[in-house]
PDB file of all heavy atoms in Angstrom:
ATOM      1  N   VAL G   1      -5.166  -1.878  -8.199  1.00 96.00           N
ATOM      2  CA  VAL G   1      -6.500  -1.308  -8.395  1.00 96.00           C
ATOM      3  C   VAL G   1      -7.438  -2.370  -8.954  1.00 96.00           C
ATOM      4  O   VAL G   1      -7.196  -2.927 -10.033  1.00 96.00           O
ATOM      5  CB  VAL G   1      -6.449  -0.099  -9.348  1.00 96.00           C
ATOM      6  CG1 VAL G   1      -7.846   0.493  -9.518  1.00 96.00           C
ATOM      7  CG2 VAL G   1      -5.475   0.949  -8.835  1.00 96.00           C
ATOM      8  N   PHE G   2      -8.513  -2.647  -8.207  1.00 95.00           N
ATOM      9  CA  PHE G   2      -9.580  -3.535  -8.686  1.00 95.00           C
ATOM     10  C   PHE G   2     -10.704  -2.658  -9.231  1.00 95.00           C
ATOM     11  O   PHE G   2     -11.357  -1.928  -8.482  1.00 95.00           O
ATOM     12  CB  PHE G   2     -10.108  -4.410  -7.539  1.00 95.00           C
ATOM     13  CG  PHE G   2      -9.119  -5.410  -7.020  1.00 95.00           C
ATOM     14  CD1 PHE G   2      -8.278  -5.083  -5.961  1.00 95.00           C
ATOM     15  CD2 PHE G   2      -9.025  -6.669  -7.587  1.00 95.00           C
ATOM     16  CE1 PHE G   2      -7.376  -6.010  -5.468  1.00 95.00           C
ATOM     17  CE2 PHE G   2      -8.120  -7.603  -7.109  1.00 95.00           C
ATOM     18  CZ  PHE G   2      -7.291  -7.270  -6.047  1.00 95.00           C
ATOM     19  N   ASN G   3     -10.916  -2.714 -10.524  1.00 89.00           N
ATOM     20  CA  ASN G   3     -11.982  -1.921 -11.144  1.00 89.00           C
ATOM     21  C   ASN G   3     -13.288  -2.705 -11.086  1.00 89.00           C
ATOM     22  O   ASN G   3     -13.608  -3.477 -11.987  1.00 89.00           O
ATOM     23  CB  ASN G   3     -11.605  -1.583 -12.585  1.00 89.00           C
ATOM     24  CG  ASN G   3     -10.478  -0.577 -12.650  1.00 89.00           C
ATOM     25  OD1 ASN G   3     -10.561   0.490 -12.052  1.00 89.00           O
ATOM     26  ND2 ASN G   3      -9.413  -0.921 -13.358  1.00 89.00           N
ATOM     27  N   THR G   4     -14.010  -2.519  -9.994  1.00 86.00           N
ATOM     28  CA  THR G   4     -15.274  -3.227  -9.805  1.00 86.00           C
ATOM     29  C   THR G   4     -16.382  -2.571 -10.623  1.00 86.00           C
ATOM     30  O   THR G   4     -16.179  -1.526 -11.266  1.00 86.00           O
ATOM     31  CB  THR G   4     -15.657  -3.233  -8.320  1.00 86.00           C
ATOM     32  OG1 THR G   4     -15.922  -1.884  -7.904  1.00 86.00           O
ATOM     33  CG2 THR G   4     -14.534  -3.806  -7.467  1.00 86.00           C
ATOM     34  N   LYS G   5     -17.561  -3.151 -10.587  1.00 83.00           N
ATOM     35  CA  LYS G   5     -18.687  -2.666 -11.373  1.00 83.00           C
ATOM     36  C   LYS G   5     -19.080  -1.249 -10.985  1.00 83.00           C
ATOM     37  O   LYS G   5     -19.467  -0.434 -11.830  1.00 83.00           O
ATOM     38  CB  LYS G   5     -19.879  -3.606 -11.203  1.00 83.00           C
ATOM     39  CG  LYS G   5     -21.095  -3.223 -12.034  1.00 83.00           C
ATOM     40  CD  LYS G   5     -22.221  -4.228 -11.843  1.00 83.00           C
ATOM     41  CE  LYS G   5     -23.440  -3.840 -12.665  1.00 83.00           C
ATOM     42  NZ  LYS G   5     -24.562  -4.811 -12.478  1.00 83.00           N
ATOM     43  N   HIS G   6     -18.994  -0.935  -9.694  1.00 84.00           N
ATOM     44  CA  HIS G   6     -19.447   0.369  -9.221  1.00 84.00           C
ATOM     45  C   HIS G   6     -18.285   1.352  -9.060  1.00 84.00           C
ATOM     46  O   HIS G   6     -18.224   2.373  -9.735  1.00 84.00           O
ATOM     47  CB  HIS G   6     -20.200   0.203  -7.899  1.00 84.00           C
ATOM     48  CG  HIS G   6     -21.403  -0.681  -8.015  1.00 84.00           C
ATOM     49  ND1 HIS G   6     -22.555  -0.276  -8.644  1.00 84.00           N
ATOM     50  CD2 HIS G   6     -21.637  -1.961  -7.582  1.00 84.00           C
ATOM     51  CE1 HIS G   6     -23.453  -1.250  -8.601  1.00 84.00           C
ATOM     52  NE2 HIS G   6     -22.914  -2.284  -7.965  1.00 84.00           N
ATOM     53  N   ARG G   7     -17.341   1.050  -8.162  1.00 89.00           N
ATOM     54  CA  ARG G   7     -16.222   1.953  -7.897  1.00 89.00           C
ATOM     55  C   ARG G   7     -14.955   1.133  -7.683  1.00 89.00           C
ATOM     56  O   ARG G   7     -15.022   0.003  -7.212  1.00 89.00           O
ATOM     57  CB  ARG G   7     -16.503   2.811  -6.661  1.00 89.00           C
ATOM     58  CG  ARG G   7     -17.621   3.820  -6.877  1.00 89.00           C
ATOM     59  CD  ARG G   7     -17.964   4.531  -5.598  1.00 89.00           C
ATOM     60  NE  ARG G   7     -19.100   5.425  -5.790  1.00 89.00           N
ATOM     61  CZ  ARG G   7     -19.733   6.026  -4.790  1.00 89.00           C
ATOM     62  NH1 ARG G   7     -19.342   5.825  -3.551  1.00 89.00           N
ATOM     63  NH2 ARG G   7     -20.754   6.823  -5.046  1.00 89.00           N
ATOM     64  N   PRO G   8     -13.808   1.700  -7.996  1.00 94.00           N
ATOM     65  CA  PRO G   8     -12.561   0.952  -7.796  1.00 94.00           C
ATOM     66  C   PRO G   8     -12.237   0.744  -6.324  1.00 94.00           C
ATOM     67  O   PRO G   8     -12.598   1.562  -5.472  1.00 94.00           O
ATOM     68  CB  PRO G   8     -11.518   1.830  -8.484  1.00 94.00           C
ATOM     69  CG  PRO G   8     -12.101   3.198  -8.482  1.00 94.00           C
ATOM     70  CD  PRO G   8     -13.584   3.015  -8.613  1.00 94.00           C
ATOM     71  N   ILE G   9     -11.557  -0.342  -6.044  1.00 95.00           N
ATOM     72  CA  ILE G   9     -11.039  -0.649  -4.715  1.00 95.00           C
ATOM     73  C   ILE G   9      -9.534  -0.843  -4.840  1.00 95.00           C
ATOM     74  O   ILE G   9      -9.062  -1.519  -5.763  1.00 95.00           O
ATOM     75  CB  ILE G   9     -11.684  -1.913  -4.128  1.00 95.00           C
ATOM     76  CG1 ILE G   9     -13.189  -1.705  -3.949  1.00 95.00           C
ATOM     77  CG2 ILE G   9     -11.033  -2.285  -2.790  1.00 95.00           C
ATOM     78  CD1 ILE G   9     -13.925  -2.948  -3.491  1.00 95.00           C
ATOM     79  N   VAL G  10      -8.778  -0.241  -3.944  1.00 97.00           N
ATOM     80  CA  VAL G  10      -7.322  -0.337  -3.987  1.00 97.00           C
ATOM     81  C   VAL G  10      -6.855  -1.184  -2.811  1.00 97.00           C
ATOM     82  O   VAL G  10      -7.118  -0.863  -1.649  1.00 97.00           O
ATOM     83  CB  VAL G  10      -6.659   1.046  -3.932  1.00 97.00           C
ATOM     84  CG1 VAL G  10      -5.138   0.912  -3.956  1.00 97.00           C
ATOM     85  CG2 VAL G  10      -7.131   1.905  -5.101  1.00 97.00           C
ATOM     86  N   ALA G  11      -6.163  -2.287  -3.114  1.00 96.00           N
ATOM     87  CA  ALA G  11      -5.523  -3.107  -2.095  1.00 96.00           C
ATOM     88  C   ALA G  11      -4.033  -2.807  -2.129  1.00 96.00           C
ATOM     89  O   ALA G  11      -3.419  -2.819  -3.205  1.00 96.00           O
ATOM     90  CB  ALA G  11      -5.779  -4.586  -2.358  1.00 96.00           C
ATOM     91  N   GLY G  12      -3.464  -2.513  -0.982  1.00 95.00           N
ATOM     92  CA  GLY G  12      -2.068  -2.083  -1.004  1.00 95.00           C
ATOM     93  C   GLY G  12      -1.281  -2.497   0.217  1.00 95.00           C
ATOM     94  O   GLY G  12      -1.840  -2.982   1.219  1.00 95.00           O
ATOM     95  N   THR G  13       0.018  -2.285   0.132  1.00 95.00           N
ATOM     96  CA  THR G  13       0.922  -2.575   1.241  1.00 95.00           C
ATOM     97  C   THR G  13       2.045  -1.558   1.230  1.00 95.00           C
ATOM     98  O   THR G  13       2.392  -1.003   0.173  1.00 95.00           O
ATOM     99  CB  THR G  13       1.481  -4.010   1.130  1.00 95.00           C
ATOM    100  OG1 THR G  13       2.198  -4.332   2.321  1.00 95.00           O
ATOM    101  CG2 THR G  13       2.377  -4.160  -0.079  1.00 95.00           C
ATOM    102  N   GLU G  14       2.616  -1.273   2.407  1.00 95.00           N
ATOM    103  CA  GLU G  14       3.738  -0.349   2.489  1.00 95.00           C
ATOM    104  C   GLU G  14       4.708  -0.817   3.552  1.00 95.00           C
ATOM    105  O   GLU G  14       4.324  -1.487   4.527  1.00 95.00           O
ATOM    106  CB  GLU G  14       3.268   1.078   2.802  1.00 95.00           C
ATOM    107  CG  GLU G  14       2.677   1.261   4.190  1.00 95.00           C
ATOM    108  CD  GLU G  14       2.253   2.701   4.454  1.00 95.00           C
ATOM    109  OE1 GLU G  14       2.010   3.438   3.479  1.00 95.00           O
ATOM    110  OE2 GLU G  14       2.166   3.083   5.631  1.00 95.00           O
ATOM    111  N   PHE G  15       5.978  -0.478   3.360  1.00 94.00           N
ATOM    112  CA  PHE G  15       7.031  -0.854   4.298  1.00 94.00           C
ATOM    113  C   PHE G  15       7.829   0.394   4.618  1.00 94.00           C
ATOM    114  O   PHE G  15       8.351   1.058   3.710  1.00 94.00           O
ATOM    115  CB  PHE G  15       7.930  -1.922   3.684  1.00 94.00           C
ATOM    116  CG  PHE G  15       8.891  -2.525   4.667  1.00 94.00           C
ATOM    117  CD1 PHE G  15       8.450  -3.431   5.621  1.00 94.00           C
ATOM    118  CD2 PHE G  15      10.237  -2.191   4.640  1.00 94.00           C
ATOM    119  CE1 PHE G  15       9.328  -3.991   6.528  1.00 94.00           C
ATOM    120  CE2 PHE G  15      11.125  -2.754   5.548  1.00 94.00           C
ATOM    121  CZ  PHE G  15      10.666  -3.662   6.491  1.00 94.00           C
ATOM    122  N   ILE G  16       7.933   0.737   5.909  1.00 92.00           N
ATOM    123  CA  ILE G  16       8.562   1.971   6.363  1.00 92.00           C
ATOM    124  C   ILE G  16       9.676   1.636   7.344  1.00 92.00           C
ATOM    125  O   ILE G  16       9.499   0.806   8.249  1.00 92.00           O
ATOM    126  CB  ILE G  16       7.537   2.887   7.058  1.00 92.00           C
ATOM    127  CG1 ILE G  16       6.419   3.284   6.086  1.00 92.00           C
ATOM    128  CG2 ILE G  16       8.218   4.123   7.630  1.00 92.00           C
ATOM    129  CD1 ILE G  16       6.852   4.183   4.965  1.00 92.00           C
ATOM    130  N   ILE G  17      10.835   2.278   7.187  1.00 92.00           N
ATOM    131  CA  ILE G  17      11.936   2.116   8.131  1.00 92.00           C
ATOM    132  C   ILE G  17      12.540   3.486   8.433  1.00 92.00           C
ATOM    133  O   ILE G  17      12.484   4.394   7.599  1.00 92.00           O
ATOM    134  CB  ILE G  17      13.024   1.160   7.609  1.00 92.00           C
ATOM    135  CG1 ILE G  17      13.547   1.625   6.250  1.00 92.00           C
ATOM    136  CG2 ILE G  17      12.508  -0.256   7.511  1.00 92.00           C
ATOM    137  CD1 ILE G  17      14.654   0.763   5.692  1.00 92.00           C
ATOM    138  N   PRO G  18      13.145   3.674   9.619  1.00 89.00           N
ATOM    139  CA  PRO G  18      13.751   4.963   9.939  1.00 89.00           C
ATOM    140  C   PRO G  18      15.131   5.096   9.307  1.00 89.00           C
ATOM    141  O   PRO G  18      15.810   4.092   9.028  1.00 89.00           O
ATOM    142  CB  PRO G  18      13.850   4.923  11.468  1.00 89.00           C
ATOM    143  CG  PRO G  18      13.986   3.475  11.787  1.00 89.00           C
ATOM    144  CD  PRO G  18      13.159   2.743  10.761  1.00 89.00           C
ATOM    145  N   PHE G  19      15.554   6.326   9.074  1.00 88.00           N
ATOM    146  CA  PHE G  19      16.932   6.566   8.679  1.00 88.00           C
ATOM    147  C   PHE G  19      17.842   6.198   9.854  1.00 88.00           C
ATOM    148  O   PHE G  19      17.518   6.438  11.015  1.00 88.00           O
ATOM    149  CB  PHE G  19      17.139   8.036   8.313  1.00 88.00           C
ATOM    150  CG  PHE G  19      16.578   8.410   6.975  1.00 88.00           C
ATOM    151  CD1 PHE G  19      15.347   9.057   6.880  1.00 88.00           C
ATOM    152  CD2 PHE G  19      17.275   8.122   5.817  1.00 88.00           C
ATOM    153  CE1 PHE G  19      14.833   9.420   5.645  1.00 88.00           C
ATOM    154  CE2 PHE G  19      16.760   8.479   4.576  1.00 88.00           C
ATOM    155  CZ  PHE G  19      15.541   9.125   4.484  1.00 88.00           C
ATOM    156  N   GLY G  20      18.985   5.612   9.555  1.00 77.00           N
ATOM    157  CA  GLY G  20      19.924   5.247  10.608  1.00 77.00           C
ATOM    158  C   GLY G  20      20.785   4.077  10.183  1.00 77.00           C
ATOM    159  O   GLY G  20      20.604   3.485   9.117  1.00 77.00           O
ATOM    160  N   ALA G  21      21.735   3.717  11.069  1.00 65.00           N
ATOM    161  CA  ALA G  21      22.691   2.663  10.746  1.00 65.00           C
ATOM    162  C   ALA G  21      22.069   1.277  10.842  1.00 65.00           C
ATOM    163  O   ALA G  21      22.324   0.409  10.010  1.00 65.00           O
ATOM    164  CB  ALA G  21      23.898   2.768  11.678  1.00 65.00           C
ATOM    165  N   ASP G  22      21.270   1.042  11.885  1.00 71.00           N
ATOM    166  CA  ASP G  22      20.648  -0.274  12.096  1.00 71.00           C
ATOM    167  C   ASP G  22      19.313  -0.297  11.366  1.00 71.00           C
ATOM    168  O   ASP G  22      18.251  -0.056  11.942  1.00 71.00           O
ATOM    169  CB  ASP G  22      20.465  -0.543  13.594  1.00 71.00           C
ATOM    170  CG  ASP G  22      21.795  -0.535  14.337  1.00 71.00           C
ATOM    171  OD1 ASP G  22      22.791  -1.015  13.751  1.00 71.00           O
ATOM    172  OD2 ASP G  22      21.829  -0.049  15.475  1.00 71.00           O
ATOM    173  N   VAL G  23      19.371  -0.634  10.095  1.00 69.00           N
ATOM    174  CA  VAL G  23      18.223  -0.445   9.209  1.00 69.00           C
ATOM    175  C   VAL G  23      17.011  -1.251   9.648  1.00 69.00           C
ATOM    176  O   VAL G  23      15.882  -0.747   9.669  1.00 69.00           O
ATOM    177  CB  VAL G  23      18.611  -0.803   7.759  1.00 69.00           C
ATOM    178  CG1 VAL G  23      17.396  -0.719   6.848  1.00 69.00           C
ATOM    179  CG2 VAL G  23      19.712   0.115   7.271  1.00 69.00           C
ATOM    180  N   LEU G  24      17.192  -2.518  10.017  1.00 73.00           N
ATOM    181  CA  LEU G  24      16.050  -3.389  10.281  1.00 73.00           C
ATOM    182  C   LEU G  24      15.752  -3.575  11.769  1.00 73.00           C
ATOM    183  O   LEU G  24      14.994  -4.467  12.140  1.00 73.00           O
ATOM    184  CB  LEU G  24      16.275  -4.750   9.608  1.00 73.00           C
ATOM    185  CG  LEU G  24      16.286  -4.720   8.076  1.00 73.00           C
ATOM    186  CD1 LEU G  24      16.505  -6.108   7.522  1.00 73.00           C
ATOM    187  CD2 LEU G  24      14.994  -4.127   7.529  1.00 73.00           C
TER     188      LEU G  24
END
């Protein structure tokens, strides 16, 4: 969370994988 002068900005990342044997 970047708390800027006016309103916060959120920079983010996510990593998603399916359930199963061959994970990657």
Side-chain angles (χ1 to χ4, degrees):
V1 181
F2 293 91
N3 289 306
T4 66
K5 183 178 180 181
H6 300 287
R7 292 174 184 170
I9 297 175
V10 179
T13 189
E14 67 179 23
F15 190 75
I16 299 292
I17 56 178
F19 284 100
D22 300 323
V23 175
L24 293 180

